[in-house]
Amino acid sequence: MNDVLNPLATSFTAKQANLPSHESAFYTACALVVKGPLGLAPVLVAAERRRRNLGAGSVDQAIGRALVNVPDVVAKPVDEARQILKDQGLTPLVEYHRSDAAEKDKVLRQLPPGGTDELVEEGSQIKLSVGAGPEDQPKDKIDLLLEQVTTVQQEISSLNSKVGAVERGLGEIKKDVDALQSDMGTVKNDVDTLKGKLPSEERKRGQQTTS
């Protein structure tokens, strides 16, 4: 089974790490020749090397989600800031804090800060501290609760989508494995058939020699 899975896992890892096609072909060939877990070692090393070149934090980042810049949304209206982050593939997490009336519904701070060269994983949470206005406005507390509920719902929806994508990917890999196993069974049957014919062919040649 490892002889079948190793090349598939190597190809999948190379694709997720955005390795060039010629490198992907080379590492897949290595996985066909080298049996067992060692067959995956070359592509994992290449993925780690690419992660370091990108300045990411782990192999998972190199073979998983893309890396993106964090835009600076401080002082922007919260709705606009949220949309900017979503367009960048990031997940805004809004927290309201007491502020002056002029700062109401505007981003006061963000974490991690934006406008730098630091890269984060696509889908990462960006915490936004938003002005809620003076504390003596009870409506703001209700708005805060509603915003938090909406944020949680959005995160659940995003996670469900990612889980579905992973399940679909695993399903495709299983189909490929099943197809390979079916092909291997067909080849085995053909070999067995040829082996069965060999004795009769040898007997025929012996009879012709005797004659």
Side-chain angles (χ1 to χ4, degrees), residues 84-135:
I84 291 174
L85 294 174
K86 288 181 179 179
D87 291 343
Q88 191 71 359
L90 301 169
T91 303
L93 183 60
V94 178
E95 297 178 351
Y96 281 87
H97 299 275
R98 186 177 63 177
S99 68
D100 296 336
E103 296 176 324
K104 186 177 184 298
D105 293 328
K106 290 186 178 180
V107 179
L108 307 178
R109 293 175 298 278
Q110 73 177 81
L111 186 69
T116 67
D117 293 332
E118 181 181 359
L119 298 175
V120 299
E121 277 191 2
E122 187 177 17
S124 296
Q125 289 186 348
I126 307 299
K127 294 182 179 180
L128 303 179
S129 296
V130 178
E135 191 177 14

Side-chain angles (χ1 to χ4, degrees), residues 129-201:
S129 296
V130 178
E135 191 177 14
D136 59 351
Q137 298 181 8
K139 183 179 178 180
D140 291 335
K141 295 181 180 179
I142 297 176
D143 290 341
L144 170 59
L145 180 59
L146 292 175
E147 288 285 351
Q148 291 174 339
V149 170
T150 301
T151 299
V152 171
Q153 290 175 337
Q154 292 171 346
E155 292 175 0
I156 292 174
S157 177
S158 176
L159 287 173
N160 287 336
S161 298
K162 293 171 184 176
V163 169
V166 171
E167 290 177 344
R168 289 191 295 273
L170 292 175
E172 291 299 323
I173 291 177
K174 185 178 183 302
K175 289 179 182 178
D176 292 340
V177 171
D178 292 341
L180 284 173
Q181 289 177 331
S182 177
D183 292 342
M184 290 172 64
T186 300
V187 171
K188 184 177 182 301
N189 291 335
D190 292 343
V191 171
D192 292 340
T193 300
L194 290 174
K195 287 181 178 179
K197 292 179 178 179
L198 285 177
S200 60
E201 294 294 334

Side-chain angles (χ1 to χ4, degrees), residues 49-60:
R49 187 184 302 116
R50 182 169 179 81
R51 176 198 64 78
R52 290 180 179 178
N53 291 338
L54 293 173
S58 67
V59 176
D60 289 339

